[in-house]
């Protein structure tokens, strides 16, 4: 199969936008991700897939915890900042940040933040599959449309306009 056909097809797969964050050696790191899913209710766990070439990959592999922040459409500015490599040094200057039980950075106002401890990881192709056991959930009370990613741009469920 032609890899370009695969990439073109994957652009059609709409997905929720999450911000994965961790702290490693006193430095915060973050990545916008769409490869996030619930895995199990017993034990509560999430699965995230991260490209080995991503700037957060090594730090996430070493971190004692990470947070999955599910973004709302009002947080497109945060998503854009974290998705732009040239803005790496200023990523955490936007948004209101809090520290969770595990010490992982959480974005206040996200739809929900899952505080996770790494439970398992597995390499497949260009990505590492991280399984996080959820130790706490913070519902920030944000009643908003989720931020979606589709066909190379941020979208909303309320199709009044692209965000």
């Amino acid at each position: 199969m032609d890899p370009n056909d695969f990439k073109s097809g994957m652009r059609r797969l709409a997905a929720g936008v999450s911000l994965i964050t961790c702290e490693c050696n006193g430095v915060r790191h973050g990545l916008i991700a769409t490869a996030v899913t619930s895995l199990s209710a017993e034990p509560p766990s999430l699965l995230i897939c991260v490209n080995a070439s991503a700037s957060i990959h090594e730090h996430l592999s070493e971190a004692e915890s990470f947070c999955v922040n599910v973004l709302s459409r009002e947080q497109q500015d945060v998503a854009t900042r974290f998705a732009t490599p040239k803005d790496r040094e200023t990523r955490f200057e936007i948004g209101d940040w809090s520290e969770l039980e595990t010490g992982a950075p959480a974005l206040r106002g996200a739809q929900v933040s899952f505080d996770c401890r790494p439970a398992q990881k597995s390499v497949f192709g260009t990505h590492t599959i991280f399984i996080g056991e959820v130790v706490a959930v913070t519902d920030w009370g944000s009643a908003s449309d989720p931020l979606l990613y589709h066909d190379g741009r941020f979208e909303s469920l309320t199709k009044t306009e692209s965000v």
Side-chain angles (χ1 to χ4, degrees), residues 66-133:
F66 63 89
C67 179
V68 176
N69 300 279
V70 179
L71 300 185
S72 70
R73 97 179 261 204
E74 284 80 20
Q75 294 168 317
Q76 188 210 343
D77 57 341
V78 174
T80 300
R81 174 77 57 99
F82 274 82
T84 306
K86 71 178 180 71
D87 292 334
R88 186 168 288 128
E89 300 301 318
T90 63
R91 287 178 173 173
F92 286 92
E93 291 176 10
I94 189 171
D96 183 14
W97 295 93
S98 179
E99 216 172 79
L100 297 177
E101 179 181 322
T102 63
L107 180 62
R108 289 181 178 277
Q111 297 247 347
V112 64
S113 296
F114 296 95
D115 195 7
C116 301
R117 293 206 187 276
Q120 191 173 339
K121 64 182 176 178
S122 178
V123 175
F124 186 85
T126 58
H127 285 62
T128 300
I129 302 161
F130 293 90
I131 297 173
E133 188 166 348

Short mmCIF file of all heavy atoms in Angstrom, two decimals, residues 66-133:
data_model
loop_
_atom_site.label_atom_id
_atom_site.label_comp_id
_atom_site.label_asym_id
_atom_site.label_seq_id
_atom_site.Cartn_x
_atom_site.Cartn_y
_atom_site.Cartn_z
N PHE A 66 1.32 11.50 33.72
CA PHE A 66 0.95 12.37 32.62
C PHE A 66 -0.53 12.70 32.74
O PHE A 66 -1.27 12.05 33.47
CB PHE A 66 1.30 11.77 31.25
CG PHE A 66 0.59 10.50 30.89
CD1 PHE A 66 -0.64 10.51 30.25
CD2 PHE A 66 1.17 9.26 31.18
CE1 PHE A 66 -1.28 9.33 29.89
CE2 PHE A 66 0.55 8.08 30.83
CZ PHE A 66 -0.69 8.11 30.19
N CYS A 67 -0.93 13.75 32.02
CA CYS A 67 -2.32 14.19 32.06
C CYS A 67 -2.86 14.22 30.64
O CYS A 67 -2.18 14.65 29.71
CB CYS A 67 -2.41 15.58 32.68
SG CYS A 67 -4.09 16.23 32.76
N VAL A 68 -4.09 13.75 30.48
CA VAL A 68 -4.80 13.85 29.22
C VAL A 68 -5.90 14.89 29.42
O VAL A 68 -6.85 14.66 30.17
CB VAL A 68 -5.40 12.49 28.79
CG1 VAL A 68 -6.23 12.65 27.52
CG2 VAL A 68 -4.30 11.46 28.59
N ASN A 69 -5.74 16.06 28.79
CA ASN A 69 -6.69 17.16 28.86
C ASN A 69 -7.54 17.13 27.59
O ASN A 69 -7.01 17.30 26.49
CB ASN A 69 -5.95 18.50 28.93
CG ASN A 69 -5.04 18.61 30.13
OD1 ASN A 69 -5.50 18.92 31.22
ND2 ASN A 69 -3.75 18.36 29.94
N VAL A 70 -8.82 16.90 27.72
CA VAL A 70 -9.73 16.87 26.57
C VAL A 70 -10.17 18.31 26.31
O VAL A 70 -10.80 18.94 27.16
CB VAL A 70 -10.94 15.95 26.82
CG1 VAL A 70 -11.87 15.95 25.62
CG2 VAL A 70 -10.46 14.53 27.14
N LEU A 71 -9.83 18.84 25.12
CA LEU A 71 -10.05 20.25 24.83
C LEU A 71 -11.44 20.55 24.29
O LEU A 71 -12.06 19.72 23.64
CB LEU A 71 -9.00 20.74 23.83
CG LEU A 71 -7.54 20.61 24.26
CD1 LEU A 71 -6.62 21.25 23.22
CD2 LEU A 71 -7.29 21.21 25.64
N SER A 72 -11.88 21.78 24.57
CA SER A 72 -13.14 22.28 24.03
C SER A 72 -12.84 23.19 22.85
O SER A 72 -11.71 23.62 22.65
CB SER A 72 -13.90 23.06 25.11
OG SER A 72 -13.23 24.27 25.39
N ARG A 73 -13.86 23.49 22.09
CA ARG A 73 -13.66 24.34 20.90
C ARG A 73 -13.14 25.71 21.29
O ARG A 73 -12.45 26.36 20.51
CB ARG A 73 -14.93 24.39 20.07
CG ARG A 73 -15.82 25.58 20.31
CD ARG A 73 -17.02 25.55 19.43
NE ARG A 73 -16.78 26.43 18.29
CZ ARG A 73 -17.72 26.97 17.59
NH1 ARG A 73 -18.98 26.71 17.87
NH2 ARG A 73 -17.45 27.76 16.60
N GLU A 74 -13.42 26.20 22.50
CA GLU A 74 -12.91 27.49 22.96
C GLU A 74 -11.41 27.47 23.21
O GLU A 74 -10.81 28.51 23.44
CB GLU A 74 -13.64 27.95 24.24
CG GLU A 74 -15.03 28.48 23.98
CD GLU A 74 -16.05 27.37 23.79
OE1 GLU A 74 -15.79 26.23 24.21
OE2 GLU A 74 -17.12 27.63 23.20
N GLN A 75 -10.81 26.29 23.19
CA GLN A 75 -9.37 26.17 23.47
C GLN A 75 -8.54 25.92 22.21
O GLN A 75 -7.42 25.44 22.28
CB GLN A 75 -9.14 25.07 24.50
CG GLN A 75 -9.74 25.47 25.83
CD GLN A 75 -9.81 24.33 26.81
OE1 GLN A 75 -10.18 23.21 26.47
NE2 GLN A 75 -9.47 24.63 28.05
N GLN A 76 -9.07 26.34 21.08
CA GLN A 76 -8.32 26.18 19.84
C GLN A 76 -6.99 26.94 19.89
O GLN A 76 -5.99 26.48 19.35
CB GLN A 76 -9.12 26.64 18.63
CG GLN A 76 -8.39 26.29 17.35
CD GLN A 76 -8.66 27.23 16.21
OE1 GLN A 76 -9.62 27.97 16.24
NE2 GLN A 76 -7.81 27.18 15.22
N ASP A 77 -6.95 28.10 20.55
CA ASP A 77 -5.70 28.86 20.65
C ASP A 77 -4.63 28.06 21.38
O ASP A 77 -3.46 28.05 20.99
CB ASP A 77 -5.92 30.22 21.31
CG ASP A 77 -6.55 30.14 22.70
OD1 ASP A 77 -7.15 29.10 23.05
OD2 ASP A 77 -6.46 31.13 23.45
N VAL A 78 -5.03 27.33 22.42
CA VAL A 78 -4.09 26.47 23.15
C VAL A 78 -3.62 25.33 22.23
O VAL A 78 -2.43 25.04 22.14
CB VAL A 78 -4.73 25.90 24.44
CG1 VAL A 78 -3.80 24.91 25.11
CG2 VAL A 78 -5.11 27.03 25.38
N ALA A 79 -4.57 24.71 21.53
CA ALA A 79 -4.22 23.62 20.62
C ALA A 79 -3.26 24.09 19.54
O ALA A 79 -2.27 23.41 19.24
CB ALA A 79 -5.49 23.04 19.98
N THR A 80 -3.52 25.26 18.98
CA THR A 80 -2.64 25.80 17.93
C THR A 80 -1.24 26.06 18.48
O THR A 80 -0.24 25.73 17.83
CB THR A 80 -3.24 27.09 17.34
OG1 THR A 80 -4.52 26.77 16.77
CG2 THR A 80 -2.34 27.68 16.28
N ARG A 81 -1.16 26.62 19.66
CA ARG A 81 0.16 26.91 20.26
C ARG A 81 0.95 25.62 20.47
O ARG A 81 2.12 25.53 20.15
CB ARG A 81 -0.03 27.64 21.59
CG ARG A 81 1.23 27.88 22.41
CD ARG A 81 2.11 29.01 21.91
NE ARG A 81 1.43 30.27 21.83
CZ ARG A 81 1.50 31.23 22.76
NH1 ARG A 81 2.26 31.06 23.83
NH2 ARG A 81 0.84 32.35 22.60
N PHE A 82 0.30 24.59 21.00
CA PHE A 82 1.00 23.34 21.28
C PHE A 82 1.29 22.55 20.00
O PHE A 82 2.20 21.73 19.99
CB PHE A 82 0.20 22.48 22.27
CG PHE A 82 0.48 22.83 23.70
CD1 PHE A 82 -0.17 23.90 24.30
CD2 PHE A 82 1.38 22.11 24.45
CE1 PHE A 82 0.08 24.25 25.61
CE2 PHE A 82 1.65 22.44 25.77
CZ PHE A 82 1.00 23.52 26.35
N ALA A 83 0.56 22.81 18.94
CA ALA A 83 0.78 22.10 17.68
C ALA A 83 1.83 22.78 16.80
O ALA A 83 2.22 22.23 15.77
CB ALA A 83 -0.54 21.99 16.90
N THR A 84 2.31 23.95 17.21
CA THR A 84 3.26 24.72 16.41
C THR A 84 4.67 24.57 16.99
O THR A 84 4.94 25.10 18.07
CB THR A 84 2.84 26.21 16.38
OG1 THR A 84 1.48 26.30 15.94
CG2 THR A 84 3.74 27.02 15.46
N PRO A 85 5.56 23.86 16.28
CA PRO A 85 6.91 23.62 16.81
C PRO A 85 7.68 24.89 17.19
O PRO A 85 8.39 24.90 18.20
CB PRO A 85 7.62 22.88 15.68
CG PRO A 85 6.52 22.21 14.92
CD PRO A 85 5.36 23.17 15.01
N LYS A 86 7.53 25.97 16.43
CA LYS A 86 8.29 27.19 16.74
C LYS A 86 7.84 27.83 18.06
O LYS A 86 8.57 28.64 18.63
CB LYS A 86 8.20 28.18 15.60
CG LYS A 86 6.85 28.84 15.42
CD LYS A 86 6.89 29.86 14.29
CE LYS A 86 5.57 30.53 14.09
NZ LYS A 86 5.17 31.44 15.12
N ASP A 87 6.68 27.45 18.56
CA ASP A 87 6.16 28.01 19.82
C ASP A 87 6.47 27.12 21.04
O ASP A 87 5.93 27.35 22.12
CB ASP A 87 4.65 28.22 19.72
CG ASP A 87 4.28 29.32 18.74
OD1 ASP A 87 5.11 30.21 18.51
OD2 ASP A 87 3.15 29.26 18.20
N ARG A 88 7.36 26.14 20.87
CA ARG A 88 7.62 25.17 21.92
C ARG A 88 7.98 25.83 23.26
O ARG A 88 7.53 25.41 24.32
CB ARG A 88 8.74 24.22 21.47
CG ARG A 88 8.97 23.08 22.46
CD ARG A 88 9.85 22.00 21.90
NE ARG A 88 9.10 21.28 20.89
CZ ARG A 88 9.53 21.05 19.64
NH1 ARG A 88 10.71 21.46 19.28
NH2 ARG A 88 8.79 20.39 18.79
N GLU A 89 8.81 26.87 23.23
CA GLU A 89 9.27 27.51 24.47
C GLU A 89 8.17 28.28 25.19
O GLU A 89 8.30 28.55 26.39
CB GLU A 89 10.45 28.45 24.17
CG GLU A 89 11.66 27.73 23.56
CD GLU A 89 12.22 26.64 24.46
OE1 GLU A 89 12.31 26.85 25.69
OE2 GLU A 89 12.55 25.56 23.93
N THR A 90 7.10 28.64 24.50
CA THR A 90 6.05 29.47 25.12
C THR A 90 4.73 28.72 25.27
O THR A 90 3.70 29.34 25.55
CB THR A 90 5.82 30.75 24.28
OG1 THR A 90 5.35 30.37 22.97
CG2 THR A 90 7.08 31.58 24.17
N ARG A 91 4.75 27.44 25.11
CA ARG A 91 3.50 26.68 25.14
C ARG A 91 2.71 26.86 26.42
O ARG A 91 1.50 27.01 26.40
CB ARG A 91 3.78 25.19 24.91
CG ARG A 91 4.15 24.88 23.49
CD ARG A 91 4.47 23.43 23.29
NE ARG A 91 4.66 23.16 21.87
CZ ARG A 91 5.08 22.01 21.40
NH1 ARG A 91 5.35 21.01 22.21
NH2 ARG A 91 5.23 21.85 20.10
N PHE A 92 3.37 26.82 27.54
CA PHE A 92 2.65 26.88 28.82
C PHE A 92 2.37 28.31 29.29
O PHE A 92 1.86 28.51 30.37
CB PHE A 92 3.42 26.08 29.89
CG PHE A 92 3.29 24.59 29.70
CD1 PHE A 92 4.22 23.89 28.94
CD2 PHE A 92 2.23 23.90 30.25
CE1 PHE A 92 4.10 22.52 28.76
CE2 PHE A 92 2.09 22.53 30.06
CZ PHE A 92 3.04 21.84 29.32
N GLU A 93 2.68 29.29 28.43
CA GLU A 93 2.36 30.68 28.75
C GLU A 93 0.91 31.03 28.42
O GLU A 93 0.43 32.08 28.80
CB GLU A 93 3.31 31.63 28.01
CG GLU A 93 4.74 31.56 28.53
CD GLU A 93 5.71 32.43 27.75
OE1 GLU A 93 5.26 33.25 26.91
OE2 GLU A 93 6.92 32.27 27.97
N ILE A 94 0.25 30.14 27.70
CA ILE A 94 -1.15 30.34 27.35
C ILE A 94 -1.99 29.34 28.14
O ILE A 94 -1.57 28.21 28.37
CB ILE A 94 -1.37 30.18 25.82
CG1 ILE A 94 -2.77 30.61 25.40
CG2 ILE A 94 -1.03 28.79 25.36
CD1 ILE A 94 -2.94 30.68 23.89
N GLY A 95 -3.14 29.78 28.62
CA GLY A 95 -4.00 28.89 29.41
C GLY A 95 -3.75 29.05 30.90
O GLY A 95 -2.79 29.67 31.34
N ASP A 96 -4.65 28.49 31.68
CA ASP A 96 -4.59 28.52 33.14
C ASP A 96 -4.23 27.12 33.61
O ASP A 96 -4.99 26.17 33.39
CB ASP A 96 -5.96 28.96 33.68
CG ASP A 96 -5.99 29.09 35.19
OD1 ASP A 96 -4.91 29.12 35.82
OD2 ASP A 96 -7.10 29.17 35.75
N TRP A 97 -3.07 26.98 34.25
CA TRP A 97 -2.52 25.67 34.58
C TRP A 97 -2.61 25.36 36.06
O TRP A 97 -2.49 26.23 36.91
CB TRP A 97 -1.07 25.58 34.10
CG TRP A 97 -1.02 25.67 32.61
CD1 TRP A 97 -0.85 26.80 31.85
CD2 TRP A 97 -1.22 24.59 31.71
NE1 TRP A 97 -0.92 26.47 30.53
CE2 TRP A 97 -1.15 25.14 30.40
CE3 TRP A 97 -1.45 23.23 31.85
CZ2 TRP A 97 -1.31 24.36 29.26
CZ3 TRP A 97 -1.61 22.46 30.73
CH2 TRP A 97 -1.53 23.02 29.45
N SER A 98 -2.79 24.09 36.33
CA SER A 98 -2.87 23.58 37.69
C SER A 98 -2.05 22.30 37.76
O SER A 98 -1.74 21.69 36.73
CB SER A 98 -4.34 23.27 38.02
OG SER A 98 -4.47 22.76 39.31
N GLU A 99 -1.68 21.90 38.96
CA GLU A 99 -0.96 20.64 39.14
C GLU A 99 -1.92 19.63 39.74
O GLU A 99 -2.62 19.92 40.71
CB GLU A 99 0.23 20.86 40.08
CG GLU A 99 1.42 20.05 39.70
CD GLU A 99 2.63 20.42 40.54
OE1 GLU A 99 2.71 19.95 41.70
OE2 GLU A 99 3.47 21.17 40.03
N LEU A 100 -1.94 18.43 39.17
CA LEU A 100 -2.83 17.39 39.65
C LEU A 100 -2.19 16.61 40.80
O LEU A 100 -1.07 16.88 41.21
CB LEU A 100 -3.18 16.45 38.50
CG LEU A 100 -3.95 17.11 37.35
CD1 LEU A 100 -4.18 16.11 36.23
CD2 LEU A 100 -5.27 17.66 37.84
N GLU A 101 -2.93 15.65 41.31
CA GLU A 101 -2.48 14.81 42.42
C GLU A 101 -1.10 14.21 42.17
O GLU A 101 -0.26 14.16 43.05
CB GLU A 101 -3.51 13.69 42.63
CG GLU A 101 -3.20 12.71 43.72
CD GLU A 101 -4.27 11.63 43.83
OE1 GLU A 101 -5.46 11.93 43.65
OE2 GLU A 101 -3.88 10.48 44.07
N THR A 102 -0.85 13.79 40.94
CA THR A 102 0.43 13.15 40.60
C THR A 102 1.53 14.16 40.30
O THR A 102 2.68 13.78 40.13
CB THR A 102 0.29 12.26 39.36
OG1 THR A 102 -0.06 13.09 38.24
CG2 THR A 102 -0.73 11.16 39.58
N GLY A 103 1.18 15.44 40.16
CA GLY A 103 2.14 16.46 39.78
C GLY A 103 2.09 16.81 38.30
O GLY A 103 2.78 17.72 37.85
N ALA A 104 1.27 16.10 37.54
CA ALA A 104 1.15 16.38 36.10
C ALA A 104 0.42 17.71 35.90
O ALA A 104 -0.52 18.02 36.62
CB ALA A 104 0.40 15.26 35.39
N PRO A 105 0.86 18.50 34.90
CA PRO A 105 0.18 19.77 34.63
C PRO A 105 -1.17 19.55 33.95
O PRO A 105 -1.27 18.77 33.01
CB PRO A 105 1.14 20.52 33.71
CG PRO A 105 2.15 19.53 33.24
CD PRO A 105 2.04 18.31 34.08
N ALA A 106 -2.19 20.26 34.45
CA ALA A 106 -3.54 20.15 33.89
C ALA A 106 -4.02 21.52 33.46
O ALA A 106 -3.75 22.53 34.12
CB ALA A 106 -4.50 19.57 34.93
N LEU A 107 -4.74 21.57 32.35
CA LEU A 107 -5.29 22.81 31.81
C LEU A 107 -6.66 23.05 32.42
O LEU A 107 -7.62 22.33 32.12
CB LEU A 107 -5.38 22.71 30.28
CG LEU A 107 -5.95 23.93 29.57
CD1 LEU A 107 -5.06 25.17 29.79
CD2 LEU A 107 -6.11 23.64 28.09
N ARG A 108 -6.75 24.05 33.27
CA ARG A 108 -8.05 24.42 33.86
C ARG A 108 -8.98 24.85 32.72
O ARG A 108 -8.56 25.52 31.80
CB ARG A 108 -7.90 25.58 34.83
CG ARG A 108 -7.20 25.22 36.10
CD ARG A 108 -7.14 26.46 37.01
NE ARG A 108 -6.52 26.15 38.26
CZ ARG A 108 -7.14 25.61 39.30
NH1 ARG A 108 -8.43 25.32 39.21
NH2 ARG A 108 -6.50 25.36 40.42
N GLY A 109 -10.22 24.43 32.80
CA GLY A 109 -11.20 24.79 31.79
C GLY A 109 -11.30 23.80 30.65
O GLY A 109 -12.15 23.95 29.78
N ALA A 110 -10.42 22.78 30.65
CA ALA A 110 -10.57 21.71 29.67
C ALA A 110 -11.91 21.03 29.94
O ALA A 110 -12.51 21.19 31.01
CB ALA A 110 -9.43 20.70 29.78
N GLN A 111 -12.39 20.26 28.99
CA GLN A 111 -13.64 19.53 29.22
C GLN A 111 -13.47 18.61 30.43
O GLN A 111 -14.32 18.55 31.30
CB GLN A 111 -13.99 18.70 27.99
CG GLN A 111 -14.25 19.53 26.77
CD GLN A 111 -15.69 19.46 26.34
OE1 GLN A 111 -16.45 18.63 26.79
NE2 GLN A 111 -16.05 20.34 25.45
N VAL A 112 -12.33 17.92 30.45
CA VAL A 112 -12.00 17.02 31.55
C VAL A 112 -10.49 16.76 31.50
O VAL A 112 -9.89 16.84 30.43
CB VAL A 112 -12.80 15.68 31.44
CG1 VAL A 112 -12.43 14.90 30.20
CG2 VAL A 112 -12.67 14.83 32.69
N SER A 113 -9.90 16.51 32.65
CA SER A 113 -8.48 16.16 32.72
C SER A 113 -8.35 14.82 33.44
O SER A 113 -8.91 14.63 34.52
CB SER A 113 -7.68 17.22 33.48
OG SER A 113 -7.71 18.46 32.79
N PHE A 114 -7.62 13.89 32.80
CA PHE A 114 -7.38 12.57 33.37
C PHE A 114 -5.95 12.53 33.89
O PHE A 114 -5.00 12.68 33.12
CB PHE A 114 -7.57 11.48 32.31
CG PHE A 114 -8.98 11.38 31.80
CD1 PHE A 114 -9.36 12.04 30.64
CD2 PHE A 114 -9.92 10.62 32.47
CE1 PHE A 114 -10.66 11.94 30.16
CE2 PHE A 114 -11.22 10.51 32.00
CZ PHE A 114 -11.59 11.17 30.85
N ASP A 115 -5.80 12.32 35.18
CA ASP A 115 -4.49 12.23 35.83
C ASP A 115 -4.06 10.76 35.77
O ASP A 115 -4.75 9.89 36.31
CB ASP A 115 -4.63 12.71 37.28
CG ASP A 115 -3.32 12.99 37.95
OD1 ASP A 115 -2.26 12.97 37.28
OD2 ASP A 115 -3.35 13.27 39.17
N CYS A 116 -2.94 10.49 35.11
CA CYS A 116 -2.54 9.10 34.85
C CYS A 116 -1.14 8.78 35.34
O CYS A 116 -0.25 9.62 35.30
CB CYS A 116 -2.56 8.83 33.34
SG CYS A 116 -4.16 9.08 32.55
N ARG A 117 -0.98 7.54 35.74
CA ARG A 117 0.35 6.98 36.00
C ARG A 117 0.62 5.97 34.89
O ARG A 117 -0.26 5.17 34.54
CB ARG A 117 0.39 6.28 37.35
CG ARG A 117 0.24 7.25 38.51
CD ARG A 117 0.90 6.68 39.77
NE ARG A 117 0.60 7.52 40.92
CZ ARG A 117 1.27 8.62 41.24
NH1 ARG A 117 2.28 9.01 40.50
NH2 ARG A 117 0.94 9.32 42.31
N PRO A 118 1.84 5.99 34.33
CA PRO A 118 2.16 5.03 33.27
C PRO A 118 2.02 3.60 33.78
O PRO A 118 2.52 3.27 34.86
CB PRO A 118 3.61 5.34 32.92
CG PRO A 118 3.86 6.70 33.46
CD PRO A 118 2.96 6.87 34.64
N ALA A 119 1.35 2.78 33.02
CA ALA A 119 1.15 1.38 33.41
C ALA A 119 1.89 0.43 32.48
O ALA A 119 2.37 -0.62 32.91
CB ALA A 119 -0.34 1.04 33.43
N GLN A 120 1.96 0.81 31.19
CA GLN A 120 2.58 -0.08 30.21
C GLN A 120 2.86 0.72 28.95
O GLN A 120 2.18 1.71 28.67
CB GLN A 120 1.62 -1.22 29.89
CG GLN A 120 2.21 -2.35 29.11
CD GLN A 120 1.22 -3.51 28.98
OE1 GLN A 120 0.27 -3.64 29.76
NE2 GLN A 120 1.42 -4.35 28.01
N LYS A 121 3.86 0.29 28.20
CA LYS A 121 4.09 0.89 26.88
C LYS A 121 4.58 -0.18 25.93
O LYS A 121 5.18 -1.17 26.32
CB LYS A 121 5.06 2.07 26.96
CG LYS A 121 6.46 1.73 27.38
CD LYS A 121 7.29 3.00 27.45
CE LYS A 121 8.68 2.67 27.96
NZ LYS A 121 9.54 3.84 28.01
N SER A 122 4.25 0.05 24.66
CA SER A 122 4.60 -0.90 23.62
C SER A 122 4.91 -0.13 22.34
O SER A 122 4.19 0.80 21.99
CB SER A 122 3.43 -1.86 23.39
OG SER A 122 3.72 -2.78 22.37
N VAL A 123 5.97 -0.53 21.66
CA VAL A 123 6.34 0.12 20.41
C VAL A 123 5.70 -0.62 19.25
O VAL A 123 5.72 -1.85 19.19
CB VAL A 123 7.88 0.14 20.25
CG1 VAL A 123 8.27 0.71 18.89
CG2 VAL A 123 8.52 0.93 21.37
N PHE A 124 5.10 0.16 18.33
CA PHE A 124 4.55 -0.41 17.11
C PHE A 124 4.86 0.58 15.98
O PHE A 124 4.37 1.71 16.00
CB PHE A 124 3.05 -0.66 17.20
CG PHE A 124 2.51 -1.37 15.99
CD1 PHE A 124 2.56 -2.75 15.91
CD2 PHE A 124 2.00 -0.68 14.91
CE1 PHE A 124 2.09 -3.43 14.80
CE2 PHE A 124 1.53 -1.34 13.79
CZ PHE A 124 1.58 -2.72 13.73
N GLY A 125 5.66 0.16 15.04
CA GLY A 125 6.02 1.02 13.92
C GLY A 125 6.70 2.28 14.41
O GLY A 125 7.65 2.24 15.19
N THR A 126 6.18 3.43 13.99
CA THR A 126 6.78 4.72 14.33
C THR A 126 6.29 5.27 15.67
O THR A 126 6.75 6.33 16.10
CB THR A 126 6.45 5.77 13.25
OG1 THR A 126 5.02 5.87 13.14
CG2 THR A 126 7.05 5.38 11.91
N HIS A 127 5.37 4.58 16.32
CA HIS A 127 4.73 5.10 17.52
C HIS A 127 4.94 4.21 18.75
O HIS A 127 5.19 3.02 18.63
CB HIS A 127 3.22 5.26 17.29
CG HIS A 127 2.87 6.42 16.46
ND1 HIS A 127 3.28 6.56 15.15
CD2 HIS A 127 2.16 7.54 16.74
CE1 HIS A 127 2.84 7.70 14.66
NE2 HIS A 127 2.14 8.32 15.61
N THR A 128 4.80 4.85 19.91
CA THR A 128 4.75 4.12 21.17
C THR A 128 3.33 4.24 21.70
O THR A 128 2.75 5.33 21.71
CB THR A 128 5.75 4.67 22.20
OG1 THR A 128 7.07 4.57 21.66
CG2 THR A 128 5.68 3.90 23.51
N ILE A 129 2.79 3.12 22.11
CA ILE A 129 1.46 3.08 22.71
C ILE A 129 1.67 3.13 24.23
O ILE A 129 2.30 2.23 24.80
CB ILE A 129 0.72 1.79 22.32
CG1 ILE A 129 0.60 1.70 20.80
CG2 ILE A 129 -0.64 1.71 23.01
CD1 ILE A 129 0.32 0.30 20.28
N PHE A 130 1.20 4.19 24.84
CA PHE A 130 1.31 4.35 26.29
C PHE A 130 -0.05 4.04 26.90
O PHE A 130 -1.07 4.58 26.46
CB PHE A 130 1.69 5.79 26.66
CG PHE A 130 3.07 6.20 26.24
CD1 PHE A 130 3.29 6.78 25.01
CD2 PHE A 130 4.15 6.01 27.09
CE1 PHE A 130 4.56 7.19 24.61
CE2 PHE A 130 5.42 6.40 26.71
CZ PHE A 130 5.63 6.99 25.47
N ILE A 131 -0.06 3.20 27.91
CA ILE A 131 -1.27 2.94 28.67
C ILE A 131 -1.11 3.61 30.02
O ILE A 131 -0.12 3.37 30.72
CB ILE A 131 -1.53 1.43 28.83
CG1 ILE A 131 -1.76 0.79 27.46
CG2 ILE A 131 -2.73 1.19 29.77
CD1 ILE A 131 -1.86 -0.71 27.48
N GLY A 132 -2.07 4.46 30.34
CA GLY A 132 -2.03 5.15 31.61
C GLY A 132 -3.17 4.70 32.50
O GLY A 132 -4.32 4.65 32.05
N GLU A 133 -2.83 4.36 33.73
CA GLU A 133 -3.88 4.05 34.71
C GLU A 133 -4.37 5.37 35.29
O GLU A 133 -3.58 6.16 35.82
CB GLU A 133 -3.36 3.13 35.80
CG GLU A 133 -4.46 2.64 36.70
CD GLU A 133 -4.05 1.48 37.60
OE1 GLU A 133 -2.99 0.90 37.38
OE2 GLU A 133 -4.83 1.19 38.51
#
